[in-house]
Amino acid sequence: SGERAPTFHPEFGRFMLEATPGKPWGIEFKDLLAVEPNMKWRRRIAKEHMADTESPVTMTTYPLLGLSDTLIPDYPVSGERLRSQFVPDEIANPHIRFPTLAANIRARRGRKVEVNVPVFRDEKTPWPFKDPTVNYDLHNWPEDDDVRRGAAKDNEIHMDAMAFGMGSCCLQITFQAKNIEEGRKMYDQLSPLGPILLALTATTPIYKGFLVDTDVRWNQISNAVDDRTPEELGEEDPRLRKEYFDPDLIVDPALKQRLLDGGMDELLAAHFAHLFIRDPIVIFAEDLQELDLSKADHFENLQSTNWQHMRFKPPPPGNDTGWRVEFRPMEIQMTDFENAAFAIFIVLITRAILSFDLNFYIPIPRVTDNMQTAHSRDAVLNEKFYFRKDPFPPATGQQTSSSTTATSNRGNGLSSMVNGVNAPREDVHDTIAPQPANGSVSPELGPVEDEYSLMTIDEIINGQKAPSSPNIDPNNTPPFPGLIPLVESYLSSVNIDVETRCALARYLDLIRRRASGGLKTGARWMREFVAAHPDYHKDSKVDPGVAYDICSAVEEIAGTDWEKLGRKGGRGRTGWEMFVRQDNQD
């Protein structure tokens, strides 16, 4: 007939087709009669290019999109572009525009998109409903923490990728206006009709294999392409209170303003402006001849002379090294085993913090107090330190942030958190790892002083005992669970083989028993060594002969295979009190 053939265009999903007429329709009424035949023509063309078992289906959404084993061919989820735990990267059209769009939206947001739809509550729908398809134990990408931070809500179907919005099909009509005035008028007048026609054409009652309590797709599209950051959404970290900051912090105001003008946020600008309040202690003459902006020598000279127990390190120029955080307060230990134990422990607690979204905020002045307390003799046994009482994120509707007591409510994909792998501590309050936050409701903030208390090192590391009376704490805050129980809960939440888990337990056991006083610190051992030395005269003076013997003993200790000697085989050897359990210990 000479009619121009329809055209087909790529869309976000590989399973989708965008089809349009070969040319715009005319203005005659009879032209409208050609619309249906043209659409049928498009369907025939599409079918001709498919296998016998395939057909072009004009549904808004694929009802099982996001469920495993429902794609042909199937691919593994959690790819680099979408990073979705429900759909693979291959579901997106390979045209560079689509995967790049998805990756850039995720990168700008700093998290995956959050697409949640209320589930339809029928007679036997479990209530509260928790999306059973959500995997809280996935740890492939940093964004996998989203669900552990509350992205998946109670009584809603959770989806985490652009495909759940941009994978929706729709009917679109484009009008040609004769001039700008006509175009503006059509725009304004058609706009109020949008929701009416949306309701009239509703065809989306199913998502991810569940009946939902909505009928249309629009909000899912909006959420699937929402690239706003938490700050742009008006969200603030409810844990970060002004009372945590150092009220006496001095900054270079001109430098801070320059950083703000360059796009740096308030907190980070204040951090770096504080580093530049003084001239560098040391500077090389040649560095003053020319300012080489391709290097960071001037900054590093100032940065390295700010002696703090944490250091925030920007990426160095000229390579792909990213931002870094340096943990600096630990003292070197006598043996490789000890040094490895503490290094491993810091890594594991860091991962637990990220995985469980833990909150250890206390005011900076209290941290300064703790640094001074740590200098005390036998502080590990005799002193108390300010520490946050409740490290867990709040759940929806809770007025206080608290961990969840060990009840039947363990359906969060995380194992029970108890103290110890080999030697559980029965007097520690049994808690479970924090459930993913199910909403954005922040607890009402009380005095910041209520958020922390004085604790012993044993309580901080191994956990507090359950109170004999529930009314001891007026805020009803559960006992602090302990850093090692938190680490062990994290280890239980990930896939780890038994052999590796047991090896890690050895390191954790050293730290656990040192915190409880069962194993001596190096400082305590040295004090006792000197006190027992025949050449020590109890005058606080360590003579050269005593010092020599200490060094010889440390060398011997470092060369001893304490693991091979076993629990009791090393008893009596030099330094055994730092490694071998006492008689009254199991």
mmCIF file of all heavy atoms in Angstrom, residues 282-324:
data_model
loop_
_atom_site.group_PDB
_atom_site.id
_atom_site.type_symbol
_atom_site.label_atom_id
_atom_site.label_comp_id
_atom_site.label_asym_id
_atom_site.label_seq_id
_atom_site.Cartn_x
_atom_site.Cartn_y
_atom_site.Cartn_z
ATOM 1 N N VAL A 282 57.645 21.431 59.429
ATOM 2 C CA VAL A 282 58.829 21.290 58.582
ATOM 3 C C VAL A 282 58.421 21.553 57.144
ATOM 4 O O VAL A 282 57.350 21.127 56.695
ATOM 5 C CB VAL A 282 59.434 19.873 58.691
ATOM 6 C CG1 VAL A 282 60.616 19.735 57.742
ATOM 7 C CG2 VAL A 282 59.857 19.579 60.123
ATOM 8 N N ILE A 283 59.251 22.273 56.415
ATOM 9 C CA ILE A 283 59.005 22.481 54.988
ATOM 10 C C ILE A 283 60.360 22.583 54.288
ATOM 11 O O ILE A 283 61.326 23.118 54.855
ATOM 12 C CB ILE A 283 58.160 23.756 54.741
ATOM 13 C CG1 ILE A 283 57.645 23.771 53.303
ATOM 14 C CG2 ILE A 283 58.936 25.019 55.067
ATOM 15 C CD1 ILE A 283 56.571 24.801 53.061
ATOM 16 N N PHE A 284 60.456 22.060 53.082
ATOM 17 C CA PHE A 284 61.701 22.069 52.335
ATOM 18 C C PHE A 284 61.774 23.309 51.449
ATOM 19 O O PHE A 284 60.775 23.731 50.857
ATOM 20 C CB PHE A 284 61.826 20.804 51.495
ATOM 21 C CG PHE A 284 61.876 19.549 52.328
ATOM 22 C CD1 PHE A 284 60.756 18.753 52.486
ATOM 23 C CD2 PHE A 284 63.055 19.184 52.970
ATOM 24 C CE1 PHE A 284 60.799 17.609 53.261
ATOM 25 C CE2 PHE A 284 63.115 18.039 53.745
ATOM 26 C CZ PHE A 284 61.985 17.249 53.893
ATOM 27 N N ALA A 285 62.956 23.892 51.359
ATOM 28 C CA ALA A 285 63.126 25.147 50.632
ATOM 29 C C ALA A 285 62.681 25.024 49.188
ATOM 30 O O ALA A 285 62.057 25.938 48.636
ATOM 31 C CB ALA A 285 64.592 25.593 50.710
ATOM 32 N N GLU A 286 62.980 23.886 48.561
ATOM 33 C CA GLU A 286 62.626 23.733 47.140
ATOM 34 C C GLU A 286 61.116 23.718 46.931
ATOM 35 O O GLU A 286 60.633 24.049 45.853
ATOM 36 C CB GLU A 286 63.254 22.480 46.553
ATOM 37 C CG GLU A 286 62.959 21.191 47.303
ATOM 38 C CD GLU A 286 63.993 20.872 48.353
ATOM 39 O OE1 GLU A 286 64.638 21.812 48.868
ATOM 40 O OE2 GLU A 286 64.163 19.672 48.655
ATOM 41 N N ASP A 287 60.387 23.351 47.981
ATOM 42 C CA ASP A 287 58.932 23.326 47.840
ATOM 43 C C ASP A 287 58.341 24.725 47.806
ATOM 44 O O ASP A 287 57.181 24.910 47.427
ATOM 45 C CB ASP A 287 58.302 22.536 48.993
ATOM 46 C CG ASP A 287 58.603 21.048 48.890
ATOM 47 O OD1 ASP A 287 58.862 20.586 47.760
ATOM 48 O OD2 ASP A 287 58.582 20.364 49.930
ATOM 49 N N LEU A 288 59.112 25.713 48.221
ATOM 50 C CA LEU A 288 58.618 27.079 48.222
ATOM 51 C C LEU A 288 58.868 27.784 46.890
ATOM 52 O O LEU A 288 58.345 28.877 46.660
ATOM 53 C CB LEU A 288 59.295 27.884 49.340
ATOM 54 C CG LEU A 288 59.014 27.408 50.773
ATOM 55 C CD1 LEU A 288 59.835 28.227 51.758
ATOM 56 C CD2 LEU A 288 57.529 27.533 51.084
ATOM 57 N N GLN A 289 59.642 27.167 46.032
ATOM 58 C CA GLN A 289 59.985 27.818 44.770
ATOM 59 C C GLN A 289 58.812 27.823 43.795
ATOM 60 O O GLN A 289 58.582 28.785 43.071
ATOM 61 C CB GLN A 289 61.191 27.103 44.122
ATOM 62 C CG GLN A 289 62.420 27.061 45.010
ATOM 63 C CD GLN A 289 62.886 28.447 45.416
ATOM 64 O OE1 GLN A 289 62.919 29.369 44.601
ATOM 65 N NE2 GLN A 289 63.237 28.610 46.700
ATOM 66 N N GLU A 290 58.063 26.723 43.794
ATOM 67 C CA GLU A 290 56.969 26.606 42.826
ATOM 68 C C GLU A 290 55.877 25.717 43.412
ATOM 69 O O GLU A 290 56.163 24.686 44.003
ATOM 70 C CB GLU A 290 57.484 25.998 41.516
ATOM 71 C CG GLU A 290 56.416 25.874 40.445
ATOM 72 C CD GLU A 290 56.970 25.281 39.151
ATOM 73 O OE1 GLU A 290 58.198 25.004 39.117
ATOM 74 O OE2 GLU A 290 56.200 25.092 38.204
ATOM 75 N N LEU A 291 54.643 26.152 43.251
ATOM 76 C CA LEU A 291 53.504 25.373 43.732
ATOM 77 C C LEU A 291 53.049 24.448 42.610
ATOM 78 O O LEU A 291 52.453 24.894 41.623
ATOM 79 C CB LEU A 291 52.354 26.293 44.151
ATOM 80 C CG LEU A 291 51.097 25.589 44.677
ATOM 81 C CD1 LEU A 291 51.425 24.764 45.920
ATOM 82 C CD2 LEU A 291 50.005 26.598 44.986
ATOM 83 N N ASP A 292 53.356 23.180 42.741
ATOM 84 C CA ASP A 292 53.002 22.186 41.733
ATOM 85 C C ASP A 292 51.633 21.605 42.096
ATOM 86 O O ASP A 292 51.517 20.794 43.016
ATOM 87 C CB ASP A 292 54.064 21.087 41.685
ATOM 88 C CG ASP A 292 53.849 20.128 40.526
ATOM 89 O OD1 ASP A 292 52.763 20.189 39.903
ATOM 90 O OD2 ASP A 292 54.757 19.315 40.256
ATOM 91 N N LEU A 293 50.612 22.035 41.385
ATOM 92 C CA LEU A 293 49.251 21.603 41.685
ATOM 93 C C LEU A 293 48.992 20.154 41.305
ATOM 94 O O LEU A 293 47.942 19.607 41.643
ATOM 95 C CB LEU A 293 48.244 22.508 40.977
ATOM 96 C CG LEU A 293 48.244 23.973 41.433
ATOM 97 C CD1 LEU A 293 47.227 24.777 40.641
ATOM 98 C CD2 LEU A 293 47.960 24.074 42.924
ATOM 99 N N SER A 294 49.937 19.546 40.596
ATOM 100 C CA SER A 294 49.761 18.128 40.257
ATOM 101 C C SER A 294 50.221 17.218 41.384
ATOM 102 O O SER A 294 50.071 16.008 41.303
ATOM 103 C CB SER A 294 50.533 17.792 38.975
ATOM 104 O OG SER A 294 51.939 17.904 39.194
ATOM 105 N N LYS A 295 50.772 17.805 42.426
ATOM 106 C CA LYS A 295 51.240 17.028 43.567
ATOM 107 C C LYS A 295 50.498 17.468 44.827
ATOM 108 O O LYS A 295 49.884 18.526 44.858
ATOM 109 C CB LYS A 295 52.751 17.196 43.756
ATOM 110 C CG LYS A 295 53.579 16.709 42.569
ATOM 111 C CD LYS A 295 55.062 16.900 42.838
ATOM 112 C CE LYS A 295 55.903 16.405 41.672
ATOM 113 N NZ LYS A 295 57.352 16.602 41.915
ATOM 114 N N ALA A 296 50.586 16.652 45.833
ATOM 115 C CA ALA A 296 49.903 16.961 47.093
ATOM 116 C C ALA A 296 50.898 17.109 48.232
ATOM 117 O O ALA A 296 50.546 16.946 49.399
ATOM 118 C CB ALA A 296 48.888 15.869 47.419
ATOM 119 N N ASP A 297 52.132 17.451 47.914
ATOM 120 C CA ASP A 297 53.174 17.506 48.931
ATOM 121 C C ASP A 297 52.856 18.523 50.021
ATOM 122 O O ASP A 297 53.089 18.275 51.213
ATOM 123 C CB ASP A 297 54.525 17.848 48.281
ATOM 124 C CG ASP A 297 55.003 16.750 47.344
ATOM 125 O OD1 ASP A 297 54.345 15.688 47.302
ATOM 126 O OD2 ASP A 297 56.013 16.949 46.653
ATOM 127 N N HIS A 298 52.344 19.688 49.610
ATOM 128 C CA HIS A 298 52.069 20.729 50.603
ATOM 129 C C HIS A 298 50.983 20.270 51.573
ATOM 130 O O HIS A 298 51.098 20.460 52.784
ATOM 131 C CB HIS A 298 51.648 22.029 49.903
ATOM 132 C CG HIS A 298 52.735 22.646 49.085
ATOM 133 N ND1 HIS A 298 53.729 23.417 49.641
ATOM 134 C CD2 HIS A 298 52.991 22.591 47.748
ATOM 135 C CE1 HIS A 298 54.556 23.830 48.677
ATOM 136 N NE2 HIS A 298 54.127 23.339 47.533
ATOM 137 N N PHE A 299 49.946 19.671 51.021
ATOM 138 C CA PHE A 299 48.871 19.191 51.893
ATOM 139 C C PHE A 299 49.357 18.081 52.804
ATOM 140 O O PHE A 299 49.083 18.084 54.010
ATOM 141 C CB PHE A 299 47.690 18.697 51.060
ATOM 142 C CG PHE A 299 46.662 17.963 51.879
ATOM 143 C CD1 PHE A 299 45.770 18.653 52.678
ATOM 144 C CD2 PHE A 299 46.617 16.570 51.884
ATOM 145 C CE1 PHE A 299 44.843 17.981 53.459
ATOM 146 C CE2 PHE A 299 45.694 15.895 52.653
ATOM 147 C CZ PHE A 299 44.804 16.603 53.436
ATOM 148 N N GLU A 300 50.079 17.123 52.251
ATOM 149 C CA GLU A 300 50.539 16.004 53.055
ATOM 150 C C GLU A 300 51.503 16.472 54.150
ATOM 151 O O GLU A 300 51.561 15.878 55.223
ATOM 152 C CB GLU A 300 51.211 14.949 52.163
ATOM 153 C CG GLU A 300 50.243 14.197 51.260
ATOM 154 C CD GLU A 300 49.212 13.399 52.051
ATOM 155 O OE1 GLU A 300 49.457 13.109 53.243
ATOM 156 O OE2 GLU A 300 48.163 13.089 51.485
ATOM 157 N N ASN A 301 52.235 17.547 53.877
ATOM 158 C CA ASN A 301 53.142 18.069 54.892
ATOM 159 C C ASN A 301 52.367 18.561 56.108
ATOM 160 O O ASN A 301 52.777 18.358 57.255
ATOM 161 C CB ASN A 301 53.980 19.205 54.296
ATOM 162 C CG ASN A 301 55.188 19.530 55.149
ATOM 163 O OD1 ASN A 301 55.656 18.689 55.911
ATOM 164 N ND2 ASN A 301 55.689 20.749 55.020
ATOM 165 N N LEU A 302 51.235 19.213 55.873
ATOM 166 C CA LEU A 302 50.395 19.652 56.975
ATOM 167 C C LEU A 302 49.618 18.491 57.585
ATOM 168 O O LEU A 302 49.516 18.359 58.799
ATOM 169 C CB LEU A 302 49.418 20.727 56.484
ATOM 170 C CG LEU A 302 50.010 22.127 56.308
ATOM 171 C CD1 LEU A 302 49.058 22.995 55.517
ATOM 172 C CD2 LEU A 302 50.296 22.750 57.664
ATOM 173 N N GLN A 303 49.078 17.658 56.724
ATOM 174 C CA GLN A 303 48.278 16.524 57.190
ATOM 175 C C GLN A 303 49.084 15.627 58.110
ATOM 176 O O GLN A 303 48.617 15.200 59.171
ATOM 177 C CB GLN A 303 47.771 15.738 55.966
ATOM 178 C CG GLN A 303 47.299 14.330 56.222
ATOM 179 C CD GLN A 303 45.813 14.232 56.486
ATOM 180 O OE1 GLN A 303 45.228 15.106 57.102
ATOM 181 N NE2 GLN A 303 45.200 13.173 55.988
ATOM 182 N N SER A 304 50.300 15.337 57.723
ATOM 183 C CA SER A 304 51.111 14.389 58.485
ATOM 184 C C SER A 304 51.592 14.960 59.805
ATOM 185 O O SER A 304 52.030 14.206 60.676
ATOM 186 C CB SER A 304 52.311 13.942 57.647
ATOM 187 O OG SER A 304 53.153 15.047 57.361
ATOM 188 N N THR A 305 51.526 16.281 59.962
ATOM 189 C CA THR A 305 51.974 16.878 61.219
ATOM 190 C C THR A 305 50.815 17.191 62.151
ATOM 191 O O THR A 305 51.025 17.803 63.202
ATOM 192 C CB THR A 305 52.785 18.158 60.940
ATOM 193 O OG1 THR A 305 52.016 19.053 60.135
ATOM 194 C CG2 THR A 305 54.081 17.828 60.229
ATOM 195 N N ASN A 306 49.629 16.808 61.787
ATOM 196 C CA ASN A 306 48.496 16.852 62.707
ATOM 197 C C ASN A 306 48.372 15.471 63.344
ATOM 198 O O ASN A 306 47.865 14.531 62.722
ATOM 199 C CB ASN A 306 47.211 17.225 61.961
ATOM 200 C CG ASN A 306 47.072 18.713 61.727
ATOM 201 O OD1 ASN A 306 46.452 19.422 62.509
ATOM 202 N ND2 ASN A 306 47.690 19.201 60.650
ATOM 203 N N TRP A 307 48.855 15.342 64.555
ATOM 204 C CA TRP A 307 48.979 14.031 65.186
ATOM 205 C C TRP A 307 47.682 13.696 65.909
ATOM 206 O O TRP A 307 47.453 14.138 67.030
ATOM 207 C CB TRP A 307 50.164 14.012 66.134
ATOM 208 C CG TRP A 307 50.541 12.637 66.542
ATOM 209 C CD1 TRP A 307 50.230 12.021 67.707
ATOM 210 C CD2 TRP A 307 51.285 11.694 65.770
ATOM 211 N NE1 TRP A 307 50.737 10.739 67.716
ATOM 212 C CE2 TRP A 307 51.387 10.513 66.545
ATOM 213 C CE3 TRP A 307 51.874 11.715 64.507
ATOM 214 C CZ2 TRP A 307 52.060 9.388 66.098
ATOM 215 C CZ3 TRP A 307 52.534 10.593 64.071
ATOM 216 C CH2 TRP A 307 52.636 9.448 64.841
ATOM 217 N N GLN A 308 46.866 12.924 65.287
ATOM 218 C CA GLN A 308 45.595 12.496 65.852
ATOM 219 C C GLN A 308 45.478 10.988 65.726
ATOM 220 O O GLN A 308 46.158 10.369 64.907
ATOM 221 C CB GLN A 308 44.428 13.189 65.125
ATOM 222 C CG GLN A 308 44.463 14.702 65.250
ATOM 223 C CD GLN A 308 43.524 15.392 64.286
ATOM 224 O OE1 GLN A 308 43.113 14.802 63.296
ATOM 225 N NE2 GLN A 308 43.187 16.643 64.583
ATOM 226 N N HIS A 309 44.592 10.395 66.532
ATOM 227 C CA HIS A 309 44.530 8.931 66.515
ATOM 228 C C HIS A 309 43.760 8.389 65.323
ATOM 229 O O HIS A 309 43.758 7.186 65.087
ATOM 230 C CB HIS A 309 43.958 8.392 67.825
ATOM 231 C CG HIS A 309 42.495 8.623 68.015
ATOM 232 N ND1 HIS A 309 41.979 9.822 68.420
ATOM 233 C CD2 HIS A 309 41.438 7.792 67.872
ATOM 234 C CE1 HIS A 309 40.674 9.728 68.507
ATOM 235 N NE2 HIS A 309 40.318 8.506 68.190
ATOM 236 N N MET A 310 43.138 9.283 64.563
ATOM 237 C CA MET A 310 42.552 8.909 63.272
ATOM 238 C C MET A 310 43.051 9.883 62.220
ATOM 239 O O MET A 310 43.280 11.059 62.504
ATOM 240 C CB MET A 310 41.023 8.964 63.319
ATOM 241 C CG MET A 310 40.372 7.998 64.281
ATOM 242 S SD MET A 310 40.582 6.270 63.823
ATOM 243 C CE MET A 310 39.714 6.201 62.253
ATOM 244 N N ARG A 311 43.197 9.383 60.988
ATOM 245 C CA ARG A 311 43.622 10.262 59.892
ATOM 246 C C ARG A 311 42.781 9.964 58.663
ATOM 247 O O ARG A 311 42.654 8.805 58.257
ATOM 248 C CB ARG A 311 45.107 10.086 59.600
ATOM 249 C CG ARG A 311 45.623 10.995 58.497
ATOM 250 C CD ARG A 311 47.139 10.995 58.445
ATOM 251 N NE ARG A 311 47.694 11.743 59.577
ATOM 252 C CZ ARG A 311 48.984 11.756 59.889
ATOM 253 N NH1 ARG A 311 49.843 11.044 59.174
ATOM 254 N NH2 ARG A 311 49.417 12.461 60.911
ATOM 255 N N PHE A 312 42.249 11.022 58.116
ATOM 256 C CA PHE A 312 41.423 10.934 56.912
ATOM 257 C C PHE A 312 42.298 11.343 55.741
ATOM 258 O O PHE A 312 42.731 12.492 55.652
ATOM 259 C CB PHE A 312 40.227 11.870 57.054
ATOM 260 C CG PHE A 312 39.186 11.728 55.978
ATOM 261 C CD1 PHE A 312 38.696 10.490 55.631
ATOM 262 C CD2 PHE A 312 38.673 12.846 55.347
ATOM 263 C CE1 PHE A 312 37.728 10.350 54.657
ATOM 264 C CE2 PHE A 312 37.710 12.725 54.369
ATOM 265 C CZ PHE A 312 37.229 11.482 54.019
ATOM 266 N N LYS A 313 42.534 10.417 54.802
ATOM 267 C CA LYS A 313 43.555 10.609 53.781
ATOM 268 C C LYS A 313 42.928 10.697 52.390
ATOM 269 O O LYS A 313 42.381 9.713 51.887
ATOM 270 C CB LYS A 313 44.567 9.465 53.843
ATOM 271 C CG LYS A 313 45.156 9.262 55.249
ATOM 272 C CD LYS A 313 46.079 8.066 55.328
ATOM 273 C CE LYS A 313 47.403 8.364 54.684
ATOM 274 N NZ LYS A 313 48.389 7.270 54.946
ATOM 275 N N PRO A 314 43.005 11.870 51.773
ATOM 276 C CA PRO A 314 42.452 12.021 50.419
ATOM 277 C C PRO A 314 43.238 11.209 49.401
ATOM 278 O O PRO A 314 44.391 10.826 49.641
ATOM 279 C CB PRO A 314 42.585 13.525 50.141
ATOM 280 C CG PRO A 314 42.782 14.157 51.478
ATOM 281 C CD PRO A 314 43.507 13.140 52.308
ATOM 282 N N PRO A 315 42.640 10.949 48.251
ATOM 283 C CA PRO A 315 43.357 10.207 47.203
ATOM 284 C C PRO A 315 44.587 10.973 46.743
ATOM 285 O O PRO A 315 44.504 12.178 46.481
ATOM 286 C CB PRO A 315 42.323 10.096 46.076
ATOM 287 C CG PRO A 315 41.003 10.338 46.723
ATOM 288 C CD PRO A 315 41.260 11.278 47.857
ATOM 289 N N PRO A 316 45.712 10.331 46.638
ATOM 290 C CA PRO A 316 46.900 11.017 46.114
ATOM 291 C C PRO A 316 46.755 11.251 44.619
ATOM 292 O O PRO A 316 46.131 10.449 43.919
ATOM 293 C CB PRO A 316 48.029 10.031 46.417
ATOM 294 C CG PRO A 316 47.368 8.696 46.481
ATOM 295 C CD PRO A 316 45.991 8.948 47.026
ATOM 296 N N PRO A 317 47.305 12.347 44.123
ATOM 297 C CA PRO A 317 47.191 12.615 42.679
ATOM 298 C C PRO A 317 48.032 11.640 41.866
ATOM 299 O O PRO A 317 49.042 11.118 42.336
ATOM 300 C CB PRO A 317 47.725 14.049 42.554
ATOM 301 C CG PRO A 317 48.629 14.222 43.735
ATOM 302 C CD PRO A 317 48.040 13.398 44.829
ATOM 303 N N GLY A 318 47.573 11.402 40.668
ATOM 304 C CA GLY A 318 48.371 10.617 39.739
ATOM 305 C C GLY A 318 48.151 9.125 39.776
ATOM 306 O O GLY A 318 48.801 8.399 39.021
ATOM 307 N N ASN A 319 47.255 8.624 40.638
ATOM 308 C CA ASN A 319 46.953 7.201 40.616
ATOM 309 C C ASN A 319 45.510 7.003 41.050
ATOM 310 O O ASN A 319 44.801 7.962 41.359
ATOM 311 C CB ASN A 319 47.929 6.408 41.490
ATOM 312 C CG ASN A 319 47.869 6.802 42.954
ATOM 313 O OD1 ASN A 319 46.802 6.763 43.564
ATOM 314 N ND2 ASN A 319 49.011 7.175 43.520
ATOM 315 N N ASP A 320 45.081 5.738 41.067
ATOM 316 C CA ASP A 320 43.675 5.441 41.328
ATOM 317 C C ASP A 320 43.411 5.065 42.779
ATOM 318 O O ASP A 320 42.372 4.495 43.097
ATOM 319 C CB ASP A 320 43.179 4.327 40.399
ATOM 320 C CG ASP A 320 44.008 3.056 40.532
ATOM 321 O OD1 ASP A 320 44.953 3.056 41.341
ATOM 322 O OD2 ASP A 320 43.701 2.082 39.818
ATOM 323 N N THR A 321 44.316 5.389 43.670
ATOM 324 C CA THR A 321 44.080 5.137 45.085
ATOM 325 C C THR A 321 42.955 6.035 45.586
ATOM 326 O O THR A 321 42.947 7.229 45.325
ATOM 327 C CB THR A 321 45.357 5.397 45.896
ATOM 328 O OG1 THR A 321 46.402 4.564 45.395
ATOM 329 C CG2 THR A 321 45.126 5.109 47.373
ATOM 330 N N GLY A 322 42.037 5.463 46.313
ATOM 331 C CA GLY A 322 40.883 6.225 46.765
ATOM 332 C C GLY A 322 41.095 6.836 48.138
ATOM 333 O O GLY A 322 42.201 6.865 48.684
ATOM 334 N N TRP A 323 40.008 7.326 48.709
ATOM 335 C CA TRP A 323 40.027 7.886 50.053
ATOM 336 C C TRP A 323 40.354 6.794 51.064
ATOM 337 O O TRP A 323 39.902 5.659 50.937
ATOM 338 C CB TRP A 323 38.677 8.501 50.388
ATOM 339 C CG TRP A 323 38.359 9.727 49.604
ATOM 340 C CD1 TRP A 323 37.795 9.789 48.363
ATOM 341 C CD2 TRP A 323 38.592 11.081 50.005
ATOM 342 N NE1 TRP A 323 37.668 11.099 47.976
ATOM 343 C CE2 TRP A 323 38.142 11.906 48.961
ATOM 344 C CE3 TRP A 323 39.130 11.661 51.153
ATOM 345 C CZ2 TRP A 323 38.217 13.295 49.027
ATOM 346 C CZ3 TRP A 323 39.209 13.039 51.217
ATOM 347 C CH2 TRP A 323 38.752 13.840 50.157
ATOM 348 N N ARG A 324 41.076 7.185 52.079
ATOM 349 C CA ARG A 324 41.494 6.209 53.077
ATOM 350 C C ARG A 324 41.274 6.759 54.483
ATOM 351 O O ARG A 324 41.268 7.968 54.701
ATOM 352 C CB ARG A 324 42.969 5.869 52.897
ATOM 353 C CG ARG A 324 43.275 5.097 51.621
ATOM 354 C CD ARG A 324 44.696 5.354 51.169
ATOM 355 N NE ARG A 324 44.854 6.746 50.772
ATOM 356 C CZ ARG A 324 46.036 7.356 50.678
ATOM 357 N NH1 ARG A 324 47.144 6.700 50.953
ATOM 358 N NH2 ARG A 324 46.104 8.624 50.314
#
